[in-house]
Amino acid sequence: DIANTHGSSGYAYTKHAGYSTGITFHTLGASVTAGTNITTANERMRITGTGYVGIGETSPDTKLHISDDSDVYLTLESTNASTNEEVALKYSNAATSTNYWWVGLNQSDDYSLAYGTSFSGANTRFLVTESGNVGIGSASPAMKLDVAGATKQQLYTAYYHSDHSTLAGYVG
């Protein structure tokens, strides 16, 4: 039961008898005739009847499930050549109300974590610059670790020796 194929362009999408509750997407070799040789071996993506999407995965168990037997990457890229656009993921649930946790590139090459209604510098909680400086509470860290806040900051550090003894204490 093939819903549609287009062999000349090398792709097909199907709803077939072996998979009745969703749609599968396949790639085909250049010499394959449309409607033939559509197998799980050339399946590339699937949308289940419950709305789960599998890329390289025939049994997705989340809204988006990407799988492969080699390195797997997810690329988010702004291609605007004249403006540094935001490239980020944002997270929310009932506890965050109208706020989001944002993570990504906030109109620069710095990596930041922010919390609020927008992905702005004022909402930045943690930032790593392209040069490796880390800011906690600072949107422009001037040193390798820059902790900013309205109260005195203390840093607790611990060093573990190879004999499992510990040297620890507060700095600052």
Side-chain angles (χ1 to χ4, degrees):
D1 181 27
I2 296 174
N4 192 7
T5 62
H6 198 282
S8 63
S9 293
Y11 65 88
Y13 56 95
T14 67
K15 180 182 177 209
H16 53 79
Y19 186 64
S20 61
T21 62
I23 301 171
T24 59
F25 296 82
H26 303 260
T27 56
L28 304 173
S31 63
V32 176
T33 303
T36 63
N37 298 325
I38 297 175
T39 67
T40 56
N42 59 16
E43 180 180 326
R44 301 298 179 241
M45 186 174 81
R46 157 181 307 229
I47 303 173
T48 68
T50 57
Y52 290 179
V53 176
I55 299 174
E57 176 60 49
T58 59
S59 300
D61 57 6
T62 57
K63 289 289 185 183
L64 177 61
H65 188 153
I66 302 171
S67 178
D68 195 54
D69 61 1
S70 64
D71 296 334
V72 177
Y73 302 99
L74 178 63
T75 301
L76 304 175
E77 180 179 7
S78 170
T79 58
N80 188 327
S82 60
T83 304
N84 292 328
E85 298 293 349
E86 294 175 352
V87 180
L89 296 174
K90 66 182 195 176
Y91 305 91
S92 73
N93 62 19
T96 64
S97 184
T98 60
N99 292 311
Y100 293 90
W101 278 105
W102 305 77
V103 61
L105 305 177
N106 188 356
Q107 297 181 335
S108 73
D109 55 356
D110 299 334
Y111 183 82
S112 61
L113 173 69
Y115 182 75
T117 57
S118 66
F119 195 29
S120 68
N123 293 331
T124 299
R125 304 295 191 256
F126 179 86
L127 181 128
V128 180
T129 67
E130 51 83 25
S131 63
N133 290 352
V134 175
I136 300 173
S138 171
S140 55
M143 56 195 85
K144 288 297 178 192
L145 178 60
D146 191 343
V147 181
T151 61
K152 181 179 178 183
Q153 306 299 313
Q154 287 189 326
L155 177 65
Y156 182 83
T157 185
Y159 174 76
Y160 298 95
H161 296 278
S162 60
D163 65 359
H164 302 291
S165 64
T166 303
L167 174 63
Y170 288 98
V171 177

